[in-house]
Amino acid sequence: MRPEKHNSRRAISPPKSTPQLPSATTHPNVDAIQRVDRGSELGWRAQLAVPLAALVALAIHLLFSKRAPAVETHSYTLFFYEILGVSAVLSIAQGFWMPLRSWMRHMFPILTAAILLLGLWDIVTFGFQLLPMPYFPGPAAVLRSLINDRVLLLDSTWHSLALLLSGYTVGVLVGLISGVCIGWSTPVRYWGMPLLKVVGPIPATAWIPLAMVVSPSAIVSAAGLIALAVWFPVTMLTASGISNTRASYLDVARTLGAGRAYLIFRVAIPAAVPSIFIGLFMGLGASFLTLVVAESVGVKSGLGWYVSWAQGWAEYGKVYAALIIMAAFFSTIMTLLFKVRDRVLVWQKGVIKW
Amino acid sequence: MVALAETEASSLGIREIRKSFPLPDDPLLRRPVLDGISFSLAAGELVSLIGPSGCGKSTLLRLIAGLESPDSGELLIGSEKITQPGAERGLVFQDPNLFPWLTVRRNIQAGLVASGVLREKHHEVDDFMRLVGLETFADAYPHHLSGGMAQRVALARALINHPKVLLLDEPLGALDAFTRMRMQDEVLRLWRARGTTMLLVTHDIDEAIYMSDRIMIMSPRPGRIERIISVALDRPRQRSSPDFLRLRGDILEFVHFAGNAPMENKS
């Protein structure tokens, strides 16, 4: 009897209860499904924006390149035909390949903007020469330098890499050792910390005059300066990580029968690893700076040397070419360090983000 | 004879322990925290220590663990004097304090690594993971675990060195009521299975009555043991049996009386 009564009551006053119930339960689901659909649906913007931008930039370039010798613009024109071809292929492939579609959906605004920016650069420099020459060559000239000087650029990159890695490795090793000692031992902290606080903040490059006198070769002194630049942040952050180890972790380890070696290497150092990585990143930034300065002052090889050498000949196309290589080179190394950190700190996943 | 020697070795003797700490604003003055504590635990006994916060329960546990040393008095395990932390005395805190960089399995075997016996006793790690029912979480990291699971790992980690005495510093204090009751049974099961002498610090009078052979009630400033009560209830205990409730009433009354000493003068 009762259920029937309920039913009839519901039938009498439907506007309040019945429409609300389904909307409350189904709407979120529909919403979620729509969101997924939107993510994978084929959008004409994502398909056409990049090829169109490439077309515009190419048209701009072709328009201006008529008045310049073909040698100067040939490779850039070719480069843009390639971009146009690739973007056309991408836009067609989106129709068939799901992963590419969602990737393009995410990337097309920034790709489009980058290509249009190349076009704008072309207009401002090569086209109307609004910026003083020879300091601001057009993209075609930079690309030509990049291609013509590729052997020397590759060689310079290799030298920079060797110098950077040797200096960075030494700096990190010494920094870890001194950081652990300062962080763990009270007497070492008493004597080491003032030294660290006074000497550490001096930029490594400020030691160049001294380094030139003291060391046997420019390469060795540059590696030493890079190591010094890395040593300070690594030491500081390692020491702080070690001395901030939660006392209860050490207490637990002691009640498990741990000796000093276990406390240092299996408790304090693992607990300090997140802090140590901050030091490693800061050290990496400092090492890039020191590398480039050291190379442009004393060392006769590497990207820093290449930049100042090209500047000496007023070949600014080469300067920008080297800058492009540097950007790729340094950001690759930075990315590698991030990957290492993600691997080492897998236990922290979801705990912190930086 | 051997059995007798073993049981004697895992008894705990506390004699006239005094401990004071320097005041934060005047290091020359020292505030007494423990004032002549004496008691003993028979081997295999489970004894609770209750009392208001600040009465020095945790300090007493840290002294027995060897993490602090007393101003005067003697701490004995069997007939050996306690001078430093050691694997024969396990300690479990309210916070599980799992090493977040180690998986569950590696946390549990930390004690074996620290004592340098991992190779010989490697097989025991699996036994202990089964003992606390966490074998499927062997490769999980601590931040994936719930509070109760984390505390079970902490118990297994503390037990793996086969401690003679297990010191529990409000180990279930941070858990919700349901998990706490389940974990009380869990601890009792471990206690029965391993025969470990246990000293349990707790705020929870029900927990003390439910679990322990004897209850020691401490009073604060400076910490003293006011009274020792034997819990003569059959196990497993019923939390709502008349005897349980009567004992609970007695202790509540006494704690109230001991915790408000000035009131006694007025009435």
Side-chain angles (χ1 to χ4, degrees), chain A residues 39 46 94 99-111:
Chain A
Q94 275 180 75
L100 177 70
R101 191 187 294 181
S102 55
W103 184 78
M104 276 302 283
R105 206 158 236 307
H106 180 63
M107 292 300 289
F108 87 86
I110 204 162
L111 290 176

Side-chain angles (χ1 to χ4, degrees), chain A residues 176-196:
Chain A
L176 284 177
I177 293 169
S178 57
V180 169
C181 293
I182 290 174
W184 184 261
S185 148
T186 317
V188 176
R189 179 160 47 240
Y190 177 83
W191 295 107
M193 209 55 176
L195 186 75
L196 190 67

Side-chain angles (χ1 to χ4, degrees), chain A residues 249-250 252-259 261-263 266-267 270, chain B residues 87 96-119 121-122 124-126 128-129 142 153-162:
Chain A
Y249 290 154
L250 297 169
V252 165
R254 276 193 206 106
T255 61
L256 293 173
Y262 189 97
L263 293 179
R266 302 224 182 211
V267 182
Chain B
N97 278 317
L98 300 179
F99 301 132
W101 54 88
L102 297 180
T103 59
V104 165
R105 167 184 282 278
R106 286 176 179 277
N107 261 289
I108 291 176
Q109 72 187 23
L112 300 179
V113 176
S115 329
V117 293
L118 180 64
R119 197 162 296 171
K121 301 194 172 178
H122 191 260
E124 290 193 12
V125 180
D126 288 313
F128 275 90
M129 281 199 295
V153 177
L155 280 166
R157 179 175 64 174
L159 286 170
I160 198 150
N161 282 329
H162 301 281

Side-chain angles (χ1 to χ4, degrees), chain A:
Chain A
M1 284 300 277
R2 278 227 169 132
E4 272 183 32
K5 230 180 187 179
H6 269 282
N7 277 344
S8 65
R9 221 181 256 166
R10 201 179 277 170
I12 291 163
S13 55
K16 264 197 174 174
S17 60
T18 41
Q20 258 179 356
L21 267 175
S23 73
T25 51
T26 55
H27 249 295
N29 284 341
V30 170
D31 221 29
I33 289 164
Q34 278 176 346
R35 220 170 284 142
V36 172
D37 264 348
R38 255 183 258 135
S40 57
E41 109 197 343
L42 198 57
W44 61 269
R45 278 204 213 102
Q47 268 191 306
L48 292 184
V50 181
L52 273 181
L55 214 56
V56 169
L58 179 63
I60 292 170
H61 182 68
L62 289 178
L63 201 67
F64 290 126
S65 62
K66 277 181 200 148
R67 22 169 246 224
V71 206
E72 280 183 20
T73 59
H74 179 66
S75 45
Y76 189 66
T77 314
L78 222 61
F79 169 67
F80 249 101
Y81 277 126
E82 276 167 27
I83 288 190
L84 190 62
V86 169
S87 63
V89 169
L90 282 179
S91 119
I92 294 166
Q94 275 180 75
F96 312 103
W97 199 27
M98 260 328 182
L100 177 70
R101 191 187 294 181
S102 55
W103 184 78
M104 276 302 283
R105 206 158 236 307
H106 180 63
M107 292 300 289
F108 87 86
I110 204 162
L111 290 176
T112 309
I115 292 171
L116 288 179
L117 215 60
L118 280 179
L120 186 69
W121 178 12
D122 220 4
I123 294 176
V124 171
T125 55
F126 181 61
F128 295 113
Q129 312 211 326
L130 298 176
L131 295 172
M133 288 300 276
Y135 310 111
F136 298 99
V142 173
L143 184 69
R144 208 156 48 87
S145 308
L146 205 55
I147 292 169
N148 290 347
D149 242 10
R150 61 186 180 277
V151 176
L152 188 53
L153 276 169
L154 203 67
D155 187 59
S156 301
T157 310
W158 166 246
H159 279 98
S160 285
L161 180 69
L163 184 54
L164 182 76
L165 282 189
S166 51
Y168 187 72
T169 311
V170 171
V172 166
L173 287 180
V174 177
L176 284 177
I177 293 169
S178 57
V180 169
C181 293
I182 290 174
W184 184 261
S185 148
T186 317
V188 176
R189 179 160 47 240
Y190 177 83
W191 295 107
M193 209 55 176
L195 186 75
L196 190 67
K197 278 184 176 159
V198 171
V199 176
I202 301 174
T205 48
W207 295 101
I208 285 178
L210 184 66
M212 280 174 161
V213 178
V214 171
S215 94
S217 81
I219 294 274
V220 174
S221 70
L225 288 177
I226 294 169
L228 182 66
V230 175
W231 167 79
F232 172 57
V234 171
T235 305
M236 209 63 182
L237 272 298
T238 304
S240 124
I242 296 277
S243 56
N244 284 322
T245 305
R246 260 166 70 171
S248 52
Y249 290 154
L250 297 169
D251 284 348
V252 165
R254 276 193 206 106
T255 61
L256 293 173
R260 195 161 66 153
Y262 189 97
L263 293 179
I264 294 176
F265 290 102
R266 302 224 182 211
V267 182
I269 291 180
V273 164
S275 175
I276 290 174
F277 264 100
I278 298 176
L280 292 180
F281 279 105
M282 290 170 66
L284 194 59
S287 75
F288 294 158
L289 179 75
T290 313
L291 173 77
V292 172
V293 173
E295 280 178 345
S296 52
V297 173
V299 184
K300 293 278 175 283
S301 63
L303 288 169
W305 163 81
Y306 183 93
V307 167
S308 59
W309 170 77
Q311 186 208 3
W313 291 98
E315 296 209 57
Y316 280 84
K318 291 185 177 180
V319 172
Y320 293 111
L323 288 181
I324 290 171
I325 299 285
M326 269 189 208
F329 173 55
F330 290 152
S331 65
T332 304
I333 292 177
M334 205 48 123
T335 308
L336 281 178
L337 189 57
F338 267 109
K339 290 254 188 279
V340 171
R341 183 207 62 173
D342 289 345
R343 178 66 67 85
V344 173
L345 290 183
V346 67
W347 54 270
Q348 265 201 329
K349 217 165 214 171
V351 178
I352 59 159
K353 276 202 174 82
W354 50 270

